[in-house]
Amino acid sequence: MTLFALIALLSLLNTILPDFIRNYLKVSRLWSARNASEVRHLQAEVDDAREQVEVVRNAEHSGEYAKTIKIMRAERKVAEAEAKLKSARGMENLMRMGIDTAMFYGSKVLLALITIIVSFRNRGSPVMIIDEGISLAPFTGLLSFPTGVANAISVPAWAFSCNLTFRLIYGFVKNRGA
């Protein structure tokens, strides 16, 4: 009976946990705390460059040509600082997305691997044996493979049915709530 519950629990976790990790746990928030100082520094550079443009525009110059050149240089510094900031934010978003995707698929692979190992190690043990009065024909051989026990449900068949059932239920509930 414990094998019955273990496989059902693993299948349930494999269905729900990856979406929970992707939507609610957000491991990437830890990354943004490290990168926030760099983004703040670049934002300060942009603000300083914008202030410099205003200072140059309001300053008195020896000629209109000199004023235009100085304004263009200051605006170029603003554009460069803004490009650096945009690049840093893009890298931060890319890293967040990469971390969340890796955690999503990593959790799916880990839980699937655990289910496969449990199924392989217990492949000869039936999860449950059904009474002879209930006919499983024509699927008797398929459901009991590789146990060799008549009217039994094998571990691989139980794992497959649990995964399929939980995914269908989760998909229905998820679409119903959206």
Side-chain angles (χ1 to χ4, degrees):
M1 195 60 158
T2 59
L3 197 54
F4 176 86
L6 176 66
I7 291 174
L9 180 64
L10 285 171
S11 297
L12 180 64
L13 284 175
N14 198 10
T15 303
I16 295 173
L17 188 63
D19 280 344
F20 179 78
I21 288 172
R22 176 183 272 173
N23 297 328
Y24 301 109
L25 196 54
K26 298 256 185 211
V27 178
S28 64
R29 290 178 188 164
L30 302 174
W31 174 262
S32 65
R34 282 197 254 161
N35 242 8
S37 62
E38 181 184 349
V39 171
R40 273 189 263 123
H41 174 70
L42 290 173
Q43 184 64 47
E45 278 185 31
V46 169
D47 293 341
D48 290 344
R50 285 181 181 155
E51 286 178 20
Q52 189 176 0
V53 168
E54 290 303 316
V55 167
V56 169
R57 283 191 181 163
N58 295 333
E60 290 191 23
H61 299 283
S62 59
E64 193 62 35
Y65 179 74
K67 180 179 181 180
T68 304
I69 295 296
K70 288 181 180 182
I71 289 173
M72 287 174 55
R73 286 180 184 159
E75 287 176 347
R76 191 177 321 127
K77 284 183 182 178
V78 169
E80 289 172 359
E82 285 176 344
K84 285 181 189 177
L85 179 62
K86 184 177 179 182
S87 175
R89 285 186 176 154
M91 284 301 293
E92 182 179 3
N93 288 337
L94 184 65
M95 288 301 290
R96 279 184 181 175
M97 187 175 64
I99 290 169
D100 288 339
T101 302
M103 289 300 296
F104 175 78
Y105 287 112
S107 65
K108 284 185 96 52
V109 166
L110 180 67
L111 287 169
L113 188 62
I114 291 171
T115 304
I116 289 169
I117 290 170
V118 167
S119 296
F120 184 75
R121 292 184 77 199
N122 297 298
R123 68 185 178 274
S125 305
V127 174
M128 71 176 82
I129 299 173
I130 299 175
D131 187 62
E132 294 287 329
I134 300 173
S135 175
L136 298 176
F139 302 110
T140 305
L142 182 64
L143 291 174
S144 66
F145 180 79
T147 63
V149 179
N151 269 8
I153 306 294
S154 68
V155 173
W158 180 244
F160 175 75
S161 65
C162 283
N163 275 319
L164 183 65
T165 303
F166 285 132
R167 288 190 196 285
L168 287 172
I169 292 171
Y170 185 68
F172 178 72
V173 170
K174 193 174 176 182
N175 290 338
R176 195 82 161 141

